[in-house]
Amino acid sequence: MLGEGIVRGLAETARNFLGSFVSKERLTTVQFPEERLPQAEAARDFPFLVYDGEDWQAGMRCVACQICEKECPPKCIFIEKSKDKKPDALGRAQFYPARFDIDVSVCMSCQICVEVCPFEAIKMDTAFELSTDDRFGGLLWDRQKLALSDAHYHAIHPTDAAHTDELLAAEKAKAEARTKAAVAKASPAPMPQPPAPAAANEP
Amino acid sequence: MTETIDQIFVILKHWLVGHVPTAVEPIVSELLSVVPIILLFPLLFALITVMERKGLGRIQNRYGPNRVGPCGILQPIADGIKTLTKENIVPHSADKVVHLLAPLLLVMATFLGYAVLPVGRNMVAANMDAGVLFFFAVGSMTELSVFMAGWSSRNKYSLLGAMRAIAQMISYEVPLILSSVTVIMAAGTLSTVSIVEQQSGYTGIFPHWFVFTPWGFAGFVLFMIAATAESNRSPFDLPEGESELIAGYYTEYSGFKFALFFLAEYLGMMSISGMAITLFLGGWAAPLSFLTWIPSYLWFFGKLFFFIAGFIWIRGTLPRLRMDQLMNFAWKFMLPMALINLVTAGVWRFMPTGILRWLVCSAMVVAPYVLLGRGFMLGKRLEKRTYRFAD
Amino acid sequence: MTLPFTIIAALTIAGAVAAMSLRNLVHCVLALTLAFAGLAGMYLLLGAQFVGFAQILVYIGAIAILTVFAILLTRGTEPDAFLDLPSAWVSNSVIVAAVFGVLVWAVHSSPLSRRTLPPPPQITVRQIGFALMDRFVLPLEVIGLLLTAALIGAVILAMHEKQAAK
Amino acid sequence: MSSMTETTSAANDERSRKLTAGISEGQLLEVSMGPHHPSTHGVFRMDVVLDGERVVKLKPVVGYLHRNHEKIGENNSYLASMPYTDRLDYLCSLTNNWAYALAVETLAGIDVPERAQYLRVITAELTRLQNHSSVIGFLVQDMGASGTPLMYAFREREKILDLFESLTGSRMMCNYMRFGGCRIDLPAGWLDRAKKVVAGFPQFLDEYENLLGTNEILMARTQGIGALSRELAINAGVTGPLLRASGVNYDIRKVDKYGIYDRFDFKVPLGDNGDVYDRYMIRILEMRESIKILDQAMCDIPPGPIMDPKAKIRGFRPKAGEAYGRIEAPKGELGFYLISDGSGNPYRYRVRPPSFVNLTVLEDMCIGNYIADTIAILGSIDIVLGEVDR
């Protein structure tokens, strides 16, 4: 019968029309500025540098090993190693990045830098409202703008942060065990700091 | 008391005309019946645009405009200001005069159609003896303005769109007029006011509307399908088929002229629904006998509201027909059905009242529908297919 | 010579003159439509509603579109070489003026034009219907036949053309 | 017509010459649709020659979205190319990742633990669901249903994209798979949410078939339009739903049995006439089959490692050689051909995109139809310009 399919289609839209007043399923719009969808925990937007403690320069975990700079596919990270050293979380003197820029307009938030970083120094932020009026300066974030506290990291990625802390604690324990063993083995003469594998202790 | 409320506008008009010097009286009384139409229907147009966008939104599980004013009511004002302030670009190679004239002629032709629509008990702008003929005569002027719009923009797409629009309008005007001829034949008059009068009686609580007769219902369905095509609405919105021709004949229009085309489209939609209400749904008559205390004009605009909701509903559901299918449908399905409907109305007129008359007429309407429908479908082997599955 | 009559008459004449003198063919057709509208106005002035609306429906609604289609499909709309006035335009216009003068004189002097015509009878559409059906039924049927023949002829021509193209 | 010199195949030449036999040069209307056309699915241009409404000659023009993907692949390490594969067919990034990972794994001989195989099947089938639902939404939108079917399709697609976001961190650019497994394990509660979404999908499909399945206008617009014969489909190397709609039983999940697809029982729907309606229905039936696979995969996914411990992320240097890994992407056979010379970068990095190959038969299907049909036919092929232009 001509028109039968059309009538069934009309019934379908009518059900959706009436349903939209009744069930949430039929009205899926989220009024963005007022209502916000909860962000998925694993969401990633642009990287940030983690630092322990209050002072972002002293507590910064990054040791400017430039692995992320090499591995980054669109090559948007630029690091300048510092001349002097500063003690890191485990008390060993490590380099720190005198300059650490990420060109956010080039970065495609693929989080490969997070994956390859051996020092858990760079993580992915979830802030997405980042519009600036300055196309070049505003999007070239320098070291200070990138540095965010470990507490912020715990706030946005709780399970991930907990897992990272376990890794760091394990490494710290291993480092201490090795130094205690080294001290016990090498008689009383104080040994210079053994070049323990890079580790950052937990604040 | 209900009588005065019902006639409130008529009394108001006579009171006003009474205060005017007699020399100018005819002019003023004409003005008083024309000015409300010029004011009211563009206001309804504004309301309908927001109603359409919200209705489509609700069909598509979203809100529709709700930011401008409380739940989007002020959206048409925002659109109006936007179109007024938009720059009015006229393409260099366009034919300036005809380019400007097209929307004006289109809006004028659609406004003229309202003269004969009885909006309420003795509330009609011009009670003409040949009202329906006037309505269709003025309706056929829109094709000329569509051609002027398409041709004067000197743009390949708009010319294609204009040609399609004219071909569609002409081929759907025939079933439109034929399906209204059945009502004219049954009512025996061309005047819209007396057509409404013929439908105003009640048996028991049911009204004598023409739509409750077999030929009336078939005529109503045919009339509405042809009306949708005539006003370029959803399944027949080929002239401005976005996916192929950018925007059909009003591609090269911007600013207020573009808004005029929209005004004309919605006015056309309302006036053709008004005519359908007058011919088939008893104009301003109340649907049930005990409801006659409600003023007559409220019934007319209530029914108009349902027609508009129907147009929006169809627009939200049906995909678009292709040009040749559109033509085949008009000439091979609508026209024969309209002619058969004419014969059914004749048979209805001369058979004695009773159940036999109902059966014969219903058969005369349903049988060709099924046969033509199957022929139409089989002609193209359209059927729901079953699919085989490999291992 | 009431005001509406003069307006409509001026409109019609302007439309007719423009239809003949404009360069672009499509403009000529639009001016012609203006003339048709003027004619319809005349009928309405005389109170012949049915003929007035029929004029609008048939002429403006259909024939104007038909001529426009014909122009578009055949020759396109570029204004071709404009026929300038024939060389002997002086003598032509003199003769035309003379003929016009004779006509005007004849119309004025004939007794018919001085006799005041009775006001036109108010005919309803129903009476027109009856008249068509009993006194003029033969011409109605003959015209119907003629139109059907024309329709079928057009269809055959189109079909013939399609055969040739395929 | 100088601009129409070269054509895709002699057959088309012959057919268009026959169509324009009786018509003079001036009558034909040359229209170029795109790249800025509202319905060509991205930056894709079609130079169409029309005789009135009928298409006489159609020349697709691509290349507007060329981003030099393969040359960049040669200068990047193997891992660095993985996020770029998300941008190939930007609607289904997970199947792109899987195809690339599969190619590298065959090249370097890495095997993938059980749980990672299951994760790959689940994410790939979810990608197929959301791709097919948005494709039928676009197809009907091109035919004018003013957005309603598209909105219903996108309502379902959003649910699946939310699942991807909570698993991989991004809705469309997932960058989830690594050589030898996956990057992250399922977060808590992800599996139940996924089960709920998949359980709600058949109801959406019934709703869709109610809305348009037997709609006379849709049937009139799609049945018998743009029919692709079996022989032409096989000769032109067409793959995916387009091929199966023409009746050829070729689904790489059944042919290669890659990953662990041999453990799941699912059927492959086949069409008879290969027209736009068949492709539309085949995609709906394929979605129902994907739901079956997902149900089976999600209920018996084993615990265990998700990454082969042996596989290194950085400094990954596969031995010299070449490999071609291919999977059944939602659009057809997506293959990656790699030649390694032992260094950290691939010597040659080639992508075999299904959309580009399926596009070659566009002119054969469109000649003789109306201009409104070319839009429907293009929509039924389901092309994504990121994949066509690379």
Side-chain angles (χ1 to χ4, degrees), chain A residues 2 10 13 20 26 29 31, chain B residues 58 61 63 66 313 317 369:
Chain A
L2 192 70
L10 286 169
T13 32
S20 71
R26 300 278 181 208
T29 323
Q31 313 270 15
Chain B
R58 282 293 170 167
N61 302 330
Y63 280 102
N66 59 2
W313 186 13
T317 317
Y369 171 72

Side-chain angles (χ1 to χ4, degrees), chain B residues 246-308:
Chain B
I246 308 303
Y249 52 87
Y250 48 80
T251 319
E252 294 300 339
Y253 280 89
S254 61
F256 198 62
K257 280 190 277 186
F258 185 78
L260 278 184
F261 273 104
F262 262 80
L263 173 67
E265 183 194 337
Y266 282 91
L267 284 181
M269 197 165 75
M270 280 192 279
S271 77
I272 207 93
S273 316
M275 182 49 80
I277 292 170
T278 316
L279 293 178
F280 297 96
L281 291 171
W284 39 263
L288 297 169
S289 60
F290 50 82
L291 289 174
T292 48
W293 53 275
I294 298 174
S296 56
Y297 42 81
L298 287 187
W299 286 118
F300 180 83
F301 285 105
K303 292 174 193 168
L304 193 66
F305 170 79
F306 276 106
F307 272 80
I308 301 297

Side-chain angles (χ1 to χ4, degrees), chain B residues 61 243 316 320 385 387, chain D residues 30 37 143 148 155 221 278:
Chain B
N61 302 330
S243 37
R320 189 178 300 125
R385 297 178 182 161
Y387 289 87
Chain D
E30 209 174 286
H37 198 278
M143 283 189 268
T148 312
R155 178 188 67 205
R221 280 292 299 274
D278 269 4

